Structure formats: C-alpha cells, structure tokens
Amino acid sequence: MAETSRDRLVRLLGIVTYLDHHGSTPFAELAEHFGVAPAQVRKDISTLWTSGLPGYMHGDLIDFDADAFDRDVAALLDGQGVAQVRLSSREAVALVASLSTLASSGVAPEVVDAVLDKLREALAEPVIVLAEGDGADAGVSEPLMEALRRYRRVELTYVDALDRRTTREVDPHRLVVIDGVGYLECFCRRADDYRTLRLDRIEAVEVLDAAVSTPPGDSAGFSLTPAFRATVRLGRAGRWALEDIPGLTVEDAEDDVIATFDAADAEWVAGRLLAVAPQLRSVEPAQLRGALHRQAQAVLDAHRA
Amino acid sequence: MTAIAPEQRLLNLILGLSNTRHRLTRAQIRDSIEGYAPAPSGADEETAAAADSAFERMFERDKKALRELGIPLETVVDPAHGDEIGYRIRPAEAAMPPLELTAAELAVVGLAADYWQDAALGTDARQAVMKLASSAEHGPRVELPFAGRATRVQDAVAALIEAVADRQAVRFEYSSASGGTGTRTLEPWKVVFRGGVAYVVGHDRDREDARIFRVQRIGGAVRRVGDPGAYAIPEEIPLGLLAAAHTSHTATVALRPESGHALRRRGRAVGVESGWDLVEVDYTHDDALRAEVLALGGAARIVTPRHLALAVERHAAAALEVGRG
C-alpha cells in the first residue's frame, strides 16, 4: 500500500518526539522502530531539516547535527517545539475498542489491561463507553495459557458446531479473538491437521507432559475447505441472520437480498437458514435444499411428537 | 523554489499556527507558510482569480487533514480586523500526552490495530500505533502467542464515530429480528462495543426517544442529514438500554440424550420425560433461542414458553416449503 502524506506526517512528528525522549539515535534503530527502511529515515530527517517557522532562515528551522548525520545518526539540535499530536477521536475509538474487545475475551495477555489503563487515563474525554463481554471460562483459558507458555500438548473435550462431542489431543499454537469470540489455533492429532477451535465449545482441558511437536500453521483463522457455493435469496428483514458467515457477499434485489458464500457443510448452513425460514425465497444448490428439508421435517416431528 | 510535498507543507502549517503570538489569517498563511504559492503579483485578473481558488481548495484540504489527525484548529476573530477569520493551534491541546509505553505494550497496541484488518478503522488504528510509538521505548520485537481480528466490521462504524464527533444526524436502513426493515433517523451519541459487537446509541427522531441499534444490522450506507452541531450529547447516556436489551427470560427445552451440549452447559437439568432430557435455560432474545433450537434439527424441542414453540414450528414449516424447491 502506498504511503499517504498523512502517514508520513505522523512519522515526521514521531521521529522528532522520539529523539526528544531518547537522545541521538542511529538511523537503523529509528527505521526498525517506525517500520521503514533506513534510507527513508535519511529522507525524513532531510525533510525535517528544511521545515520550520515562517522566515525559514537559520534559527527558524528544525536542526540536526551534520556530523552525526554523516555517520547515519540522528541528533536533534532544535526541534522548534515539534511534538507528536494526540489521537483523533476515530483513532482513539479504533484502538480502545479493539483492545477492550481483546481484553473482554478473557484470554488476552495481561499487558492488554495495562495499555488500556494508560490510554483511558490519557484520553481526556472518554471517547467510548464499553460494557464487558462474557469472557471465556477460566477453567478452560487458564490451562490453555499455561500450555502455551510451556509448549505442552493438551487433551480437550470439544463439542463441534454440529453438536458432536469428541476428545482430542492437540498442539496449541495461539489464541485468537475473532469478532470478540476466543478461538484456539492448534494442530489436532486426531484429525492430523490444523484446526481453529472455539473456546466456548471446549468443555475441559488437561495439560499433558508431551511437548508441542508441530509448527504453527501459516494461515490464521478457519481451515475449513469450502465444498460448494451457496446462493440464498431472502427478504431484507432476514439478512441479519447471515451476516456473520465468513466470506459473505450480499446484493440488493428489489425487496430482497441475494447472499452468496462458500460453505463447507450443508447441514450446518441449513441449520442457520432455519432461523430466517419465513424470509427465505430460494436456496441453491439442491444439496443445501435437501439438508434444509430434512432438518425442517425433523424439527416438526420433534415438536408434534 | 522546488515543490514542497504536502506532508512538509502541513508540518510547516502546524509549526506556524502553533507559534503565532495571536493568529494567522488566510492571507498571512498563504504569504508566509512555505508550501503555499503566494498571491501572484502583477498578474491579470483571471490568473489571480485562478490562483486564489487553487489556494482556497488547498487550504480547505489541509484544514480537513489537520482535523482528521486530531489537531484542534481554533478560529480566532479579531474585532480590530473586521470579520476576517484567523487560525491558531494551542500546542498544549494538540500534543500527545506522555504515555511511555514499554516494548511489550507497544506490541499489544500493534495487535489491536491488526484486529480491524482492512476496515476503515484499521487505517486509523495503524496511524494511532505510529503516534504511540513516538514516545515508546525501543526494544527487541515481542512475539505473543495471541492475535485478534474482526471479520465483519463495517465501515458504518467509522461513519457513525465521525457523525458523533460532528454532532450530525444520520439516516440508515435497519433490519431487526423483531421489527422488520425500516429507515431510521438518529442523532448518534456514542458507539458502544460489547464483546466484539458494535452498537450505536442515540436519539431516534421518529420515535422521539433514546434507542440502541446493532451496527451489524444496518444495511447499506449511513447518510448524514441536516447540519453539523445540530444537537448536544447528554452527559448521562442511558446505557441501561443495552442492559434492557438483555433482560432474561427462562425457557424449558427438551433435549435428546448426548445432544444440545451448549444448552446443557448454560442451563439446569430439571428432569427426564419419555426419552427427552428437560433443561431450563435463561435467554434474552426470542430469535436467538429459536435459532439455536432450530439448528439442532430435531434433537431439541421447546416445551415452554408456548409462543416460542409455535414460532419454531412456523419456521420449520416455512423451511419445508423452500426445501421442496
């Protein structure tokens, strides 16, 4: 992604502030700290050097030590009062909201709370009101965090989305919070493959003595292989029920919407579609219609028994 | 004079406005801040007018950029100089308060920015990280076995935050599980996050009362209506709305053995009845429990309340029709 002038301005302000705090600093360290190449730091210093107050004569400009510059070290002589600017309301909301979401998942590192405290204190006007989420069950998250810390394998009792309960040994790799819900990225020895398991579907965790022996997977998130592409037409009032399906696209079609998404399991998708059944207009492919029909019949049989 | 990049012009503008004793007028900015082209001297009327409007456009863009950066730009009217507006920045108000983040804390802030992925808020969050990095200690990269991401953050959240900042009403299409679809006009007060879900709370102009909306259920664009600064945000925001939206009811659900594990974990076993286990569960929304029972496809049945059991049957009957194709 090309750098915008706003990005660069924020870094220019940041470099002066950093030098104010930390004294003279090699270009290489500034480059690492701000995530750019050392050559870019050199350009940034040159730009700063020619910026300053109206008049733009010697004494009006931001000034650096020329000898240090030749040794690839930034040494600030006069910052002209330049300082990093405070967070805009959007920036503050973006950070505080995601940090709080991570914190309320109950599985975030403790340092998240420390950062939140610092930010809340610094933001003069609290920009956002937050309620706490339900969090993860400590009986599940604590042994998992211990296993992650000690690189130990764990045995889990897990209930999948189709309500099947299994016991499996997994190598835990990472805890991930997706849309506020905690997941465990792991290698499942039972499936002999990488899995992303919902924490609130884990019923029990036991830390084993065996060490983790598989590397973390490359791709974060879900590892389900899509089996077919589903197309569902439904009334607008029903669109809310599908909106958390990963990879969903929704198009308007008169008073309806047409939702398209990749699905791995017809039974699971059919279960979701039942929730908005009165809004359904058409369901493709036939495989998904069949699953929907079967499940609807089973629900009716159960209720009319 | 070689052309000056926009970021350097903005830097000069910030410095000039922060160091002025009183204020700078547009004309002073144009003539004294490096990066703007001064009014051409001795040019014909047409050329001068074109240069004037080019400056105005550039300055308007720059004012917007400063606002988006979070820099409060103060307008100063000086009675001695008629109605010409001047500008200044108060450095103490514009500066980032010292936070002194550790390297580990900065790593966590980076994770928080990644949470938004490519949503509009992601750009804001990454810019915030850069700002926070300015005063943070430098240390070796901290790797944490932890990450977060959002898959369904709509740009509507960013649009609503901006509308709140501008005190400007918005209009959007909203579909709720109970109320169907309709257009709502709202004076937004706050965006509230709860467990990864975004809500907007505000004054609903049509219902003439405070209301809370789930941002995910907004369809299409959030449009601004009326003027900025059109209303005040109350000191006390009735977040009880969020709590009220979570009032709890109790249902009795019959489950086949070895099924409905999630309901069993949340609920209380209250007996057995001809092959079904009876479980009492607390729930907030009819639609959520109805959906959960439906998704169990016949392994669960609602015993009470009656209206919920009938709703489940109605849904199944409708699905049966569609399933026939």
Side-chain angles (χ1 to χ4, degrees):
Chain A
M1 193 166 47
E3 179 172 71
T4 67
S5 54
R6 234 165 76 183
D7 292 338
R8 185 162 182 237
L9 175 59
V10 168
R11 190 174 62 243
L12 291 173
L13 296 169
I15 287 176
V16 177
T17 306
Y18 188 88
L19 295 174
D20 246 353
H21 275 69
H22 298 87
S24 41
T25 307
F27 291 174
E29 184 181 317
L30 284 172
E32 197 179 78
H33 194 75
F34 287 99
V36 290
Q40 182 62 50
V41 170
R42 174 176 282 272
K43 275 188 212 153
D44 288 347
I45 301 285
S46 303
T47 298
L48 285 165
W49 216 333
T50 55
S51 308
L53 298 171
Y56 305 100
M57 304 299 282
H58 187 76
D60 302 325
L61 298 172
I62 298 170
D63 200 13
F64 294 90
D65 184 316
D67 291 335
F69 184 84
D70 290 338
R71 285 181 278 117
D72 287 347
V73 172
L76 189 66
L77 296 179
D78 188 344
Q80 301 292 357
V82 165
Q84 186 54 275
V85 295
R86 67 184 205 182
L87 300 185
S88 72
S89 50
R90 271 178 63 158
E91 290 167 358
V93 170
L95 265 197
V96 174
S98 57
L99 281 167
S100 306
T101 302
L102 299 182
S104 68
S105 70
V107 295
E110 278 168 21
V111 61
V112 168
D113 293 317
V115 177
L116 264 176
D117 287 346
K118 283 189 181 181
L119 282 179
R120 287 213 181 100
E121 201 173 309
L123 303 170
E125 175 194 0
V127 284
I128 185 165
V129 190
L130 286 152
E132 294 303 315
D134 296 334
D137 183 354
V140 168
S141 59
E142 277 170 18
L144 278 181
M145 289 204 247
E146 185 205 328
L148 280 166
R149 226 174 13 247
R150 295 173 47 219
Y151 297 99
R152 295 296 133 181
R153 193 173 290 172
V154 292
E155 186 181 84
L156 304 177
T157 310
Y158 185 74
V159 176
D160 72 12
L162 292 173
D163 204 32
R164 291 176 298 229
R165 180 197 253 128
T166 52
T167 300
R168 42 179 103 194
E169 274 187 29
V170 308
D171 283 353
H173 293 135
R174 194 163 72 142
L175 293 167
V176 199
V177 175
I178 303 172
D179 298 326
V181 176
Y183 293 84
L184 174 69
E185 283 180 357
C186 60
F187 185 86
C188 175
R189 311 200 71 83
R190 186 168 166 273
D192 196 27
D193 200 359
Y194 290 93
R195 287 286 183 267
T196 303
L197 305 177
R198 257 185 94 124
L199 294 185
D200 61 6
R201 291 180 170 278
I202 297 176
E203 295 193 331
V205 180
E206 192 188 338
V207 183
L208 304 176
D209 286 334
V212 166
S213 61
T214 50
D218 300 331
S219 61
F222 302 102
S223 49
L224 291 175
T225 320
F228 62 92
R229 193 154 183 77
T231 306
V232 175
R233 181 168 178 145
L234 71 171
R236 265 163 206 263
R239 63 176 284 169
W240 60 270
L242 298 180
E243 278 183 332
D244 57 348
I245 289 183
L248 176 82
T249 60
V250 180
E251 276 174 60
D252 287 336
E254 293 153 20
D255 285 344
D256 298 339
V257 292
I258 297 176
T260 320
F261 51 93
D262 289 325
D265 188 321
E267 296 297 332
W268 181 78
V269 176
R272 303 293 304 270
L273 293 180
L274 278 170
V276 281
Q279 300 293 334
L280 292 176
R281 308 282 180 258
S282 67
V283 173
E284 296 293 339
Q287 177 191 4
L288 183 54
R289 270 203 313 279
L292 184 65
H293 188 268
R294 230 176 4 260
Q295 289 197 21
Q297 189 64 59
V299 171
L300 284 177
D301 290 349
H303 277 75
R304 289 170 181 172
Chain B
M1 187 182 75
T2 52
I4 288 200
E7 58 270 23
Q8 190 170 9
R9 181 179 71 240
L10 284 167
L11 179 59
N12 286 331
L13 180 61
I14 293 169
L15 273 168
L17 290 173
S18 302
N19 285 279
T20 177
R21 217 172 272 135
H22 180 37
R23 61 172 203 165
L24 292 179
T25 63
R26 283 172 180 245
Q28 287 167 330
I29 287 167
R30 185 179 182 183
D31 289 336
S32 71
I33 301 289
E34 197 163 65
Y36 295 101
S41 56
D44 61 70
E45 213 167 289
E46 202 177 321
T47 315
D52 286 353
S53 67
F55 166 75
E56 289 298 328
R57 277 198 307 276
M58 185 182 266
F59 185 61
E60 286 306 314
R61 265 204 311 276
D62 289 351
K63 273 196 330 193
K64 181 162 175 279
L66 292 187
R67 257 203 320 276
E68 285 173 355
L69 270 168
I71 300 175
L73 186 62
E74 199 178 330
T75 52
V76 187
V77 183
D78 183 346
H81 294 83
D83 51 9
E84 198 185 5
I85 294 173
Y87 301 89
R88 78 171 153 202
I89 293 169
R90 292 187 187 272
E93 283 174 23
M96 169 82 88
L99 287 172
E100 318 285 345
L101 297 186
T102 64
E105 288 169 342
L106 190 59
V108 156
V109 171
L111 287 183
D114 290 342
Y115 183 78
W116 301 115
Q117 311 264 312
D118 296 329
L121 284 182
T123 312
D124 295 297
R126 280 184 283 278
Q127 198 163 286
V129 174
M130 192 61 88
K131 286 183 179 178
L132 293 175
S134 310
S135 60
E137 74 173 13
H138 183 72
R141 247 179 89 87
V142 179
E143 296 282 354
L144 299 164
F146 182 75
R149 67 196 181 97
T151 65
R152 50 170 196 247
V153 173
Q154 296 155 299
D155 291 346
V157 175
L160 289 165
I161 292 167
E162 297 247 286
V164 169
D166 293 346
R167 314 284 192 267
Q168 194 172 5
V170 290
R171 189 167 289 155
F172 49 80
E173 191 184 287
Y174 189 74
S175 55
S176 70
S178 48
T181 306
T183 302
R184 306 298 186 96
T185 306
L186 184 75
E187 295 170 1
W189 295 335
K190 286 276 187 206
V191 173
V192 182
F193 285 83
R194 180 193 161 102
V197 176
Y199 300 83
V200 59
V201 58
H203 176 77
D204 185 321
R205 282 192 178 165
D206 305 312
R207 280 151 190 80
E208 295 184 339
D209 200 3
R211 284 283 190 278
I212 192 154
F213 299 91
R214 205 171 153 155
V215 177
Q216 199 191 329
R217 294 182 177 177
I218 293 176
V222 172
R223 295 184 307 279
R224 304 261 193 132
V225 290
D227 295 321
Y231 57 92
I233 294 176
E235 298 253 326
E236 291 277 328
I237 290 178
L239 278 180
L241 284 173
L242 197 60
H246 288 83
T247 334
S248 193
H249 313 284
T250 305
T252 307
V253 184
L255 298 170
R256 289 287 188 205
E258 277 305 302
S259 63
H261 300 291
L263 286 168
R264 286 172 196 271
R265 281 183 69 200
R266 292 208 311 275
R268 303 166 293 277
V270 290
V272 178
E273 188 187 277
S274 49
W276 295 84
D277 299 333
L278 297 182
V279 174
E280 260 182 23
V281 249
D282 296 330
Y283 68 100
T284 310
H285 296 293
D286 278 6
D287 56 305
L289 185 63
R290 188 181 69 212
E292 199 171 354
V293 167
L294 280 162
L296 287 168
R301 167 168 62 90
I302 296 206
V303 182
T304 60
R306 181 84 186 125
H307 76 271
L308 209 49
L310 289 174
V312 167
E313 284 188 42
R314 260 199 315 280
H315 278 64
L320 206 58
E321 285 304 309
V322 179
R324 281 201 182 99

